[in-house]
Amino acid sequence: MLFKRIATPLVVALVAGGSFAAAVQAQDKSEFFDQAEYDRQIQLLDAQPMGPEGKPWLQSMMDNYRDTSQYKKEGPWVVCFSQAGIFNPWQVVGNQTMKEELKLHPEIAEFIMTDAEGKDDKQIADINDLLASKRCDVLMVTPNTTAALTPAVERACEELPVIVFSRGVATECPVSYITPIGGYAFGAQAARFVSENLPDGGNVLALRISPGVDVLETRWSAAERVFAENEKIKVIGAEFTNDDRAIAKSIVEDYLQRFGKIDAVWMDAGATSAAAIEAFEDIGADIPIFTGEDQQDFLAKWKEEGLTAIAPTYPTFQWRTAVIAAKMILSGEPVPGPIWYLPQPTITNDNLDKYLQANMPPQHYALCGCEEMDGYPEQWGGSK
Amino acid sequence: MSTHQHPQEFVSPRWSLLSRIEPIYIILAAIILAIVLSNPIYADYGPMMQLLRRASPLIILAVGQLFVIVSGGFDLSVGSLITFIVLLSALVLNTHPEQVYASIALCLAIGVVAGGLNGLVVSVLKVPSIIATLGMLLAYRGAGLYLSGGSARGNLPDAFRAFGRETIYGFPLALIVVLVFGAFAAWTLHGTNYGRQLFAVGTNPRAARLSGVNVTMVRVVAFIFSAVSAVIAAILLGGFSGVSTAVGNGYELQAISAAVLGGAVLLGGRGSVPAVIAGAIALHALFTLLNIWGFPKPMRDAVQGIIIIGAVAYSARRG
């Protein structure tokens, strides 16, 4: 039996190969720190937004409106959108909100969307295809990763007005980069909350989604600095979960085994907060200080267990803003730029009840700015 | 390579007793002792049960894999089948959360079909199992990603998650599932006519065929056993951590590692259910120990590679 002779070495080779690949994966230290931007974001947290009351997706935290009369065009328009992908619940909620916003604009005759499925190379090709088609009046981009997409966005800027949101690029060529106040503010708020609630210090575990995305790197680099200022705080680990519940839960369990006690879990995003909390429940440990985001499952757990928690947000209502910005630019109306800072509300014990929506699915983001829209709540998976 | 003969070793009387104990039990005892010494909390009932609960999906999967290994094959498709089943359950239960038991029955039926398909491709189309199940691995992975659109969608209700999370008087439900499944597997392999035929097929398929064994049927049933074990493991894992697109990653190789650690001989003809259960617990406990000692996660993969090579070399020398 020739096959029998080769089968075992084949299995062994499979295992060994996989092992080697996993073992050489290195983690880079954050290269994403900019002191001036950090200071600006911390300041903006206390600023008064401009724009219509109660409609944060139309507001701006700064008076930096720029002229767009050069882009003014007769309608109807073709709006193009190169999307990084729909691979997490935040993007699912955002997409739904964007779809509903599009229904409000009859002057947008056509909406052409490409989905890069989370791959940089596909997104670069997508953007080139959209430019080559010569059909777009404006291009919206949600970059998959910062560095890889920068050249493609720069090429697009030479041909038409570009709007970037969700994640950033390393260029100021877009007419407007739409972002909530930002990652430094997000990360620092959560880290300060942990630091202030641990007067005697303790073990802090940091859970991150994945490396190389600016809006996530800034969150961690800000938190790292806040924790470094407090010598009683010991960061026992910073691990990547890939936004996966099973990975997040087993990482927390591993750290519980190794250290016996975790006093706080700092997270750069909330999709796996509820899974991380379960690790403490299953082992019968008290749930420590937690930071999360505006997902319903986390907010419900917070309320139920009376947690010491905070949720900085990265509001999904920015998906509305992107469509509105496209319309404003093609109408020649001034828009905030090169960066449009949107408000970034924070959920605390004081306003938790306002954002807790029992009729919405567990991974719905409370800050969708969609409650008044036509399809709400059913289109977002909720019930009346 | 093993030469499928029973060991005819010469041993001095002093060693005879020790050599009759399967080495895995000694290895398991040593690892557990090391864990308790490294972190005394594991001497407690609660944390020890927690450790066993986390090992439950691997135990079930390794026992299922044992059937295929005894028959002389491999089943590499179980890891991505786990992921597929978890994603499918989440989608089904998201719209009908009350249909927990119906969806579990559906998943078990899918397991029977998936295993039967593997078995038929191997037996009838004569595709070597390592290739056939590698193809299936890719098919389930693709199907899972297609179903979910690349991200975990839907939701698993608490009734579904109970098997992976709940305890009865401090005793995890998952371990009850392990005990029932393990007892049934041990009886099937070591106490029935089917079990004897499976060993015969793994030792020498031609001789088995000539003595009237229905080799195709025996192999198909072994693959069905493996796929159903993957479905049960999926229900426990989904219960344990909720919806996830990475839930089954790497489990096929963990199951094979656990089985060879438990003394199953790759390419067939030898293995026992209790020893493989011990092998699965030992592998999981070893991961726990590496973690307590502060080794990073990728080390586990490297350790698994060494285990498979070591166990195969050991059984080749013994065989």
Side-chain angles (χ1 to χ4, degrees):
Chain A
M1 287 294 286
L2 174 68
F3 180 69
K4 281 201 173 189
R5 288 221 193 124
I6 60 166
T8 305
L10 199 55
V11 170
V12 170
L14 270 175
V15 177
S19 320
F20 185 73
V24 295
Q25 274 185 343
Q27 288 183 13
D28 290 326
K29 181 136 172 46
S30 184
E31 302 279 318
F32 282 80
F33 196 76
D34 170 352
Q35 188 67 47
E37 178 62 17
Y38 177 89
D39 295 335
R40 181 166 39 182
Q41 289 187 17
I42 299 298
Q43 232 177 340
L44 282 178
L45 280 174
D46 300 322
Q48 260 310 333
M50 316 172 53
E53 184 68 30
K55 294 188 173 169
W57 56 91
L58 294 173
Q59 293 175 343
S60 170
M61 301 303 292
M62 277 168 90
D63 189 4
N64 60 341
Y65 286 79
R66 69 195 306 185
D67 177 44
T68 66
S69 52
Q70 54 175 316
Y71 304 113
K72 188 169 179 176
K73 247 188 162 171
E74 283 299 304
W77 304 306
V78 177
V79 174
C80 295
F81 177 33
S82 164
Q83 163 140 263
I86 311 180
F87 43 80
N88 63 42
W90 188 87
Q91 289 156 329
V92 173
V93 173
N95 268 279
Q96 193 52 49
T97 308
M98 181 180 66
K99 267 188 209 154
E100 294 293 315
E101 179 67 38
L102 283 165
K103 288 179 189 169
L104 306 175
H105 300 283
E107 65 279 29
I108 297 175
E110 204 177 344
F111 184 71
I112 303 173
M113 187 177 82
T114 58
D115 179 343
E117 295 158 16
K119 299 184 190 85
D120 292 333
D121 54 340
K122 182 168 187 310
Q123 188 163 24
I124 292 165
D126 286 347
I127 291 176
N128 290 340
D129 289 348
L130 288 170
L131 294 178
S133 77
K134 299 283 181 209
R135 296 182 56 203
C136 310
D137 295 318
V138 62
L139 177 66
M140 299 173 9
V141 183
T142 55
N144 188 52
T145 61
T146 306
L149 269 301
T150 298
V153 169
E154 279 173 332
R155 261 196 310 281
C157 288
E158 291 164 10
E159 295 187 29
L160 77 181
V162 177
I163 298 159
V164 171
F165 68 107
S166 161
R167 296 171 175 180
V169 280
T171 166
E172 289 213 331
C173 77
V175 180
S176 191
Y177 164 47
I178 297 163
T179 176
I181 290 170
Y184 293 129
F186 185 113
Q189 272 185 308
R192 281 180 185 173
F193 179 83
V194 168
S195 193
E196 283 160 14
N197 279 282
L198 286 176
D200 305 327
N203 291 343
V204 178
L205 173 62
L207 295 179
R208 307 174 56 191
I209 294 182
S210 55
V213 178
D214 62 346
V215 301
L216 300 174
E217 290 286 353
T218 48
R219 294 176 193 183
W220 172 234
S221 63
E224 244 180 335
R225 280 161 178 78
V226 172
F227 290 138
E229 283 164 15
N230 181 343
E231 58 217 23
K232 289 180 179 166
I233 294 240
K234 183 171 165 231
V235 178
I236 53 177
E239 302 275 357
F240 293 113
T241 65
N242 283 323
D243 232 7
D244 186 286
R245 295 178 56 98
I247 296 172
K249 192 169 175 179
S250 62
I251 288 171
V252 176
E253 289 202 326
D254 288 348
Y255 274 85
L256 271 168
Q257 283 170 358
R258 202 187 305 175
F259 291 91
K261 190 165 186 300
I262 298 174
D263 300 291
V265 178
W266 177 95
M267 304 191 70
D268 74 352
T272 57
S273 290
I277 288 172
E278 280 181 12
F280 292 91
E281 291 178 330
D282 285 0
I283 215 156
D286 287 341
I287 303 171
I289 297 167
F290 247 88
T291 82
E293 227 174 322
D294 48 327
Q295 278 96 350
Q296 292 305 321
D297 59 359
F298 176 64
L299 301 183
K301 191 61 92 181
W302 177 354
K303 178 84 184 167
E304 209 175 292
E305 305 287 338
L307 300 181
T308 305
I310 191 168
T313 64
Y314 194 67
T316 40
F317 59 60
Q318 61 183 277
W319 292 73
R320 296 189 71 171
T321 312
V323 175
I324 293 163
K327 186 205 86 176
M328 289 164 82
I329 291 167
L330 292 172
S331 313
E333 297 168 25
V335 294
I339 302 181
W340 181 340
Y341 287 105
L342 290 165
Q344 185 170 305
T346 305
I347 304 177
T348 62
N349 259 331
D350 300 333
N351 61 10
L352 174 61
D353 290 341
K354 175 181 160 190
Y355 294 110
L356 190 57
Q357 299 149 337
N359 61 328
M360 296 309 280
Q363 292 276 299
H364 178 72
Y365 285 73
L367 285 146
C368 62
C370 58
E371 287 84 353
E372 304 296 317
M373 296 179 109
D374 271 355
Y376 186 88
E378 290 87 350
Q379 293 294 337
W380 285 262
S383 50
K384 279 247 185 323
Chain B
M1 303 268 25
S2 88
T3 53
H4 310 309
Q5 288 161 6
H6 283 288
Q8 297 278 329
E9 296 154 55
F10 172 77
V11 279
S12 70
R14 202 165 29 143
W15 289 107
S16 67
L17 187 66
L18 255 183
S19 70
R20 244 177 292 154
I21 301 179
E22 285 278 355
I24 183 59
Y25 296 114
I26 299 163
I27 294 171
L28 176 61
I31 295 173
I32 297 283
L33 186 68
I35 287 180
V36 171
L37 290 177
S38 306
N39 189 347
I41 188 175
Y42 281 98
D44 273 357
Y45 173 80
M48 185 53 85
M49 282 298 135
Q50 196 62 28
L51 184 113
L52 289 174
R53 187 223 322 247
R54 281 187 75 182
S56 301
L58 180 59
I59 297 172
I60 286 171
L61 207 57
V63 168
Q65 187 74 235
L66 172 68
F67 277 66
V68 175
I69 289 178
V70 166
S71 82
F74 300 95
D75 188 350
L76 295 177
S77 67
V78 287
S80 56
L81 180 58
I82 287 174
T83 307
F84 175 74
I85 291 287
V86 168
L87 293 174
L88 180 75
S89 303
L91 282 176
V92 169
L93 290 168
N94 202 34
T95 42
H96 307 285
E98 68 290 342
Q99 297 291 352
V100 167
Y101 298 104
S103 79
I104 287 177
L106 170 76
C107 291
L108 289 169
I110 291 175
V112 171
V113 172
L117 204 60
N118 278 339
L120 289 173
V121 169
V122 170
S123 311
V124 178
L125 301 183
K126 303 286 185 235
V127 179
S129 62
I130 197 166
I131 307 295
T133 57
L134 196 59
M136 286 296 181
L137 177 154
L138 295 172
Y140 296 137
R141 180 178 295 170
L145 283 175
Y146 177 76
L147 267 184
S148 63
S151 74
R153 283 190 206 178
N155 193 23
L156 290 168
D158 288 344
F160 184 95
R161 297 195 57 188
F163 293 102
R165 282 196 80 191
E166 296 301 320
T167 55
I168 297 181
Y169 304 118
F171 193 80
L173 267 183
L175 282 184
I176 296 174
V177 176
V178 166
L179 288 173
V180 172
F181 182 82
F184 177 73
W187 171 74
T188 306
L189 192 61
H190 304 299
T192 65
N193 196 27
Y194 170 78
R196 274 187 293 282
Q197 292 185 340
L198 187 65
F199 280 110
V201 167
T203 308
N204 188 335
R206 273 197 68 195
R209 187 174 295 115
L210 292 172
S211 56
V213 174
N214 181 343
V215 175
T216 301
M217 188 279 294
V218 168
R219 281 197 176 138
V220 168
V221 170
F223 277 101
I224 289 177
F225 223 93
S226 175
V228 168
S229 80
V231 172
I232 297 172
I235 292 165
L236 294 185
L237 281 166
F240 172 71
S241 56
V243 197
S244 148
T245 50
V247 62
N249 288 3
Y251 261 102
E252 60 286 320
L253 294 176
Q254 281 190 38
I256 294 172
S257 307
V260 296
L261 199 58
V265 173
L266 286 184
L267 306 181
R270 205 160 64 204
S272 98
V273 171
V276 165
I277 291 177
I281 298 172
L283 187 66
H284 184 83
L286 182 65
F287 291 162
T288 305
L289 185 63
L290 289 176
N291 172 39
I292 291 172
W293 287 349
F295 284 95
K297 249 197 168 75
M299 282 291 295
R300 298 176 187 186
D301 297 283
V303 166
Q304 273 192 84
I306 295 164
I307 286 175
I308 290 194
I309 296 168
V312 172
Y314 174 83
S315 62
R317 283 192 50 208
R318 224 174 94 172

